[in-house]
Amino acid sequence: MGADLSKLNLECLAIGSMPHTSVKDAFTLIEKYFFGVPFWPQMVKVSKNEDMILQFLEGMPSFFIDRSYLDIEYDGFYDDLEQLFLDYETVVAGEGDELLEKYSISESFASSIPSFLNFVQSKKPAFAKGQLVGPFTLSTTLVDKDGKCAYYDETLREIIIKVLSLKALWQIKKINEVSPETTPIIFIDEPSISQLGTSAYVTISDEDVVGMLKELSDVIKGAGGLSAIHCCGKCDWSLPVKCGVNLINLDAYSFSQNLSVYADEVEKFLLAGGKIVWGVVPTLDKDALVKADLAVMVDKFVEAVKYLTNKGINEKLILDGSLVSTSCGAGSLSIELAGKAFKLTKELSEELKKMYR
């Protein structure tokens, strides 16, 4: 697509969920504060189906909405599995776009997508944001009927990667259909990578996780989208960099210093054109959000950048590769506090553009 990524410099965006029960009310805020990079929110108070795990399971062999586990023993499983792999290969080869509708995210699982597509069609933004739960987080959350984590079943792991890839491609296709000049950005939400190296995942290798994420990222980029990884906890940030994503997004209110531990990898990432999305505005700490104002947000951003400049990374390189966002989704907040978080994010973007441009 050849998108001009400089248009993203110090731009603002939001992450995931919103607390609203009205899609119309949600998009009133999105148009006001995230016009440059609109997104479709997870309306977590509308339906349990909009939970970040459930939302992306439609059409996945082994998944049944009325069960608490994945079932690979039902009649027809292997036929469904063979068809999934065939569909995947056909779509990734650039053929059979109509097959993607089998892996759509329906309105009953994402009530905001129709309004999002109407918004993109009407406003023709340079960028538009979609999202997916990450394959590592999904595969370590779901279990089979014996309670075994899906990650440890190679077949289930492949199913998860393939289905998520198809759902990413479906989002890209839908954005491209309504606005060919808009570049899709697909965020991969991976909170569980913050647990790598702990006793819970001691047998899981970093290389395997990188492989999963890289496969999904490569599919997104191959279709003309930008890929991003969001993690709202401390993590080894060299892993997302190794996956080849275009953007990395962290909770920079609480964990900005953690990124500087991987300064060498971050510098290479920025030099290669990568972008850091600093989640400076706290949505996971309600007390901090209540007290926050623009001055506090600016100070937090300056502090975050300084952690990297203190490691020898050029400030201009960092600023040219920076965006700002909320630290995580806003679905657990009150509507009033979510509005404050979005307003602060927009104000921070505008203030930083005045300071550094």
Side-chain angles (χ1 to χ4, degrees), residues 310-356:
N310 285 345
K311 292 294 184 76
I313 303 179
N314 179 271
E315 183 182 66
K316 186 176 187 306
L317 177 66
I318 300 166
L319 295 172
D320 286 348
S322 289
L323 295 82
V324 293
S325 74
T326 52
S327 63
C328 197
S332 65
L333 300 174
S334 66
I335 289 176
E336 181 183 14
L337 269 184
K340 179 178 180 179
F342 291 171
K343 182 173 184 285
L344 279 174
T345 307
K346 178 64 173 177
E347 290 176 345
L348 176 61
S349 171
E350 291 174 343
E351 184 64 20
L352 294 175
K353 288 174 183 177
K354 292 177 188 175
M355 291 170 59
Y356 295 118

Side-chain angles (χ1 to χ4, degrees), residues 40 49-65 70 84 100-111 113 133 138 142 159-160 162-164 166-167 170:
W40 62 266
N49 291 348
E50 302 214 25
D51 169 81
M52 68 176 283
I53 298 298
L54 274 178
Q55 191 166 53
F56 302 102
L57 299 182
E58 281 181 291
M60 190 175 87
S62 77
F63 169 67
F64 296 90
I65 190 94
L70 299 180
L84 167 66
L100 279 175
E101 290 305 317
K102 292 168 59 177
Y103 305 96
S104 66
I105 308 168
S106 73
E107 194 171 346
S108 62
F109 280 76
S111 55
I113 286 184
V133 65
L138 187 57
L142 298 175
I159 287 172
I160 286 168
K162 298 297 187 282
V163 168
L164 291 178
L166 289 166
K167 289 185 182 293
W170 179 81

Side-chain angles (χ1 to χ4, degrees), residues 10-84:
L10 300 176
E11 190 54 80
C12 64
L13 50 80
I15 307 302
S17 59
M18 291 179 70
H20 299 70
T21 55
S22 162
V23 172
K24 182 179 178 181
D25 290 348
F27 272 91
T28 296
L29 284 187
I30 291 168
E31 181 168 11
K32 187 173 183 179
Y33 298 124
F34 302 107
F35 189 90
V37 189
F39 69 107
W40 62 266
Q42 293 154 314
M43 308 288 286
V44 292
K45 293 185 179 176
V46 169
S47 168
K48 68 176 184 177
N49 291 348
E50 302 214 25
D51 169 81
M52 68 176 283
I53 298 298
L54 274 178
Q55 191 166 53
F56 302 102
L57 299 182
E58 281 181 291
M60 190 175 87
S62 77
F63 169 67
F64 296 90
I65 190 94
D66 58 341
R67 300 182 192 179
S68 59
Y69 61 90
L70 299 180
D71 181 6
I72 61 174
E73 296 179 358
Y74 70 90
D75 292 343
F77 170 72
Y78 288 103
D79 288 339
D80 289 349
L81 180 65
E82 183 180 4
Q83 190 61 55
L84 167 66

